[in-house]
Amino acid sequence: MTGVIRYNRDGDIAMIAIDNPPVNALGQAVRQGLVEAVEKAEADGARAALIYGEGRSFPAGADIREFGKPPLEPWLPDVCNRLETSPVLVVSALHGTALGGGLEIALASDYRIATPAAKVGLPEVLIGVMPGAGGTQRLPRLVGVETSIDVITSGRQISAGEAFDLGIIDRVEDGAPRDIGLSYTRALLAENAPRRPIREMPAPQPIDFDAAYDSALRKARGQISPAYAVRGIQAACELPFEEGLTRERELFRALLETDQRQGLIHAFFAERAVGVLAELKDTNARDVNSVAVIGGGTMGAGIATSFLLAGFPVTLLEMSEDAAHAARGRITGNLSGALKRGKIDQKTYDRLTGPALALTTSYDDLREADLVIEAVFEDMNVKRDVFSRLDAICKPGAVLATNTSYLDINKIADATQRPEDVIGLHFFSPAHVMKLLEVVVADRTAPDTVATGFALAKRLKKTAVRAGVCDGFIGNRILAAYRAAADHMVLDGATPYDIDAAIREFGFAMGPFQVSDLAGLDIAWAARKRRAATRDPRERVPLVADRLCEAGLFGQKTGQGYYLYNETPPKPNPEVAGIIESARETLGIKPRAFSRPEIQRRYLCAMVNEAAKVVGDGIARRPLDVDVVLLMGYGFPRYRGGPLKWADMDGLPKILSDITAYAQDDRYFWSPAPLLEQLVAEGRTFDDLNKGAGK
Ligand code: T1G
């Protein structure tokens, strides 16, 4: 028996415990141990074998760190087949998250019991593959094709209750998995329960699989794994079981080789790696139990909602009773949305909108707060005034945070005598929904203040990424670059609508001009006007965007921007063509055509180039930090792994040569990032910089 599998007997029952922390992933040693254990159970005459997990969970799947490496025997499908064809009655006792290969092990068992809190699922499509150990062949025989397509193409986790209702598990019982498994197995033996290999169940009724395939492809916006999984389920209907397994394996291995699998696995591990920073090692976060928010506008109310949902009492300060009342209305609105979506129950709603939330107009009420976060008007003087007042009022050790999205936090910290307590917590709107939080570290922010930011993100169920101070930190600075590339292409001959279509084709849900209309063109316009005095004369001005704003076309908020919003789907605004034409005339530009590939290329190269500068400048600790920000905050298609993972897979030399070619037209905007030039010169990738960094 391998160290990760423990075997002993309890009467007629072989007890097989899996002990491979943290999630009992089905690595090679576990797979080998399981085969040896079932062989031992058969050899020593056991009548049944109970499989259960030690620690936090029944296996949460194959060990995804093995992906991309040569597969080691025994392969998981063979382990499942070995369990299913054993003469011994096999029972699985599930707890925690029995996912992927873990559920496939359970489906290869004769009976399945679970604790009430257990979750099951086949989330393989979320990491770019599909069930590859019989899941697409056994689940449809158990629950039918429609349910299998829903479960497998969504990759969603299913509660024990729902799994019981669907027939995926046979019994739900509270208690330790070993105990409930043992008593259930004894009961099965006592009633001489028959073996129930799913492979012997009838094939499920087929459906129109081509339609299901097309629908899965459409929904996944270019990601192919859900559609491939549909073909696997189709095989369960059309082929004998063993041939169906072979077909599933072919499809699985094809997905294993794709860039999409690489991108999604990179995203999975990157979202966990961003919290691993050398500066956080051995640094304790400060205790935060009470939170104050200053400013009850959209962002302030969203931030307050986020903390309320995470269980913090919140005091929100506004400048007047009316403003405080309006803030309460926004928060209540947010929470009623959470209630409607089933995120909270009525009792919680009443508590969060009642005793947990205090509104005030007096700074005195912030004296005892452990954390104060301001979301006031984006003006340096206003923010400095707030921080100097906080400095005078707040208790020593209170963390003073700003939600500014671009202002210099060092200047804000200078307004206090305690710069070590000042940090940026940049939420993304809507703050109570978006999972990304940029933790912006100023020059004198103390390490434990940084650690507090990361600890808060965990409690808010958000993913924190460390950012340095610059205009736009990580996400907005890179956004400004690729947004500018889009504006330049409009001036040079492309239409906003072709650009939006090309970027949607790459996998974004929306193109840049749709996003601008959604956010409000006036926001970027205000930023441009703010920076106009210090703008480099070589920078190309997005005249089209300025003129749209001068005409009051701010986008959805005014009913018209690049698109008209008086019908669905919104149509291109006919006024825009004239505005573009006059802007080109003003600038003496003779428009030229842009193909979709060139549009995508320029847009992505601008993104990668600025991202490389952000890493090179130390604003982001590693390339993976940038990937996580763009994936979680800016809609970068997850199956591409993020801009720098995409760049690695596309090839840095070609990207650099494209940037160098574009620089012929605009040396200022397309100045290559030194880090990109260095990596190409050294034959390295952005991923090389991720390895080891931050440990
Ligand atoms: N393989 C290897 N490591 C894993 C892992 C896995 N499957 N799942 C989690 N980890 C690590 C994770 O990297 C982290 O490590 C630690 O466990 C805790 O995870 C043939 C081929 C289970 C819901 O896709 O969804 O089976 O950072 O921080 O928030 O059909 O992890 O501590 O060093 O996420 O409580 C299918 C993926 C695989 C499940 C727990 N299974 N995992 O979430 O903790 S493919 C999955 C998750 C497959 C078969 C196919 C979550 C979780 P570290 P965590 P969590």
Side-chain angles (χ1 to χ4, degrees), residues 22-23 25-26 56 60-65 67 76-77 97 99-102 104 122-124 127 129-133 157 249 252 268-269 272:
V23 296
L26 293 156
R56 60 191 278 190
D63 187 334
I64 47 188
R65 284 166 302 198
F67 286 7
L76 194 55
T97 46
L99 302 173
E104 289 173 307
L122 293 170
E124 289 87 340
I127 53 173
V129 290
M130 59 183 267
Q157 292 186 15
R249 191 87 192 142
F252 173 80
F268 176 86
F269 285 115
R272 287 154 179 81

Side-chain angles (χ1 to χ4, degrees), residues 31 95 126 128 180 202 206 247 319 366 386 396 399 413 415 433 446 463 485 487 489 491 531 615:
R31 301 195 301 272
H95 78 295
L126 304 180
I180 62 170
R247 177 71 180 128
M319 292 298 102
L366 310 186
V386 164
V399 171
V433 174
T463 298
D487 287 328
M489 284 191 273
L491 289 175
R531 289 180 33 238
V615 176

Side-chain angles (χ1 to χ4, degrees), residues 301-303 305-306 309 334-335 341 428 430-435 462:
I303 293 168
T305 307
S306 194
L309 288 168
N334 293 340
L335 290 169
R341 286 195 306 275
F428 287 75
H432 59 295
V433 174
M434 292 294 280
K435 293 288 175 223
K462 291 181 183 290

Side-chain angles (χ1 to χ4, degrees), residues 13-141:
I13 300 167
M15 306 294 284
I16 303 172
I18 303 173
D19 191 5
N20 184 29
V23 296
N24 285 328
L26 293 156
Q28 192 280 337
V30 175
R31 301 195 301 272
Q32 185 186 328
L34 283 172
V35 171
E36 290 169 357
V38 76
E39 285 169 351
K40 186 171 170 51
E42 290 165 0
D44 61 16
R47 290 181 59 208
L50 171 66
I51 302 173
Y52 64 96
E54 296 287 9
R56 60 191 278 190
S57 179
F58 194 80
D63 187 334
I64 47 188
R65 284 166 302 198
E66 290 180 355
F67 286 7
K69 297 172 190 158
L72 299 170
E73 294 200 339
W75 294 355
L76 194 55
D78 300 334
V79 175
C80 291
N81 294 339
R82 186 67 185 76
L83 293 173
E84 190 173 55
T85 53
S86 168
V88 168
L89 190 80
V90 180
V91 180
S92 283
L94 312 181
H95 78 295
T97 46
L99 302 173
L103 181 57
E104 289 173 307
I105 289 279
L107 291 173
S109 309
D110 295 293
Y111 295 88
R112 292 161 287 280
I113 184 169
T115 60
K119 298 255 195 306
V120 301
L122 293 170
E124 289 87 340
V125 296
L126 304 180
I127 53 173
V129 290
M130 59 183 267
T136 62
Q137 306 306 304
R138 293 190 174 93
L139 189 66
R141 283 174 165 78

Side-chain angles (χ1 to χ4, degrees), residues 461-473:
K461 292 193 176 51
K462 291 181 183 290
T463 298
V465 179
R466 185 201 188 284
V469 174
C470 70
D471 189 340
F473 314 138

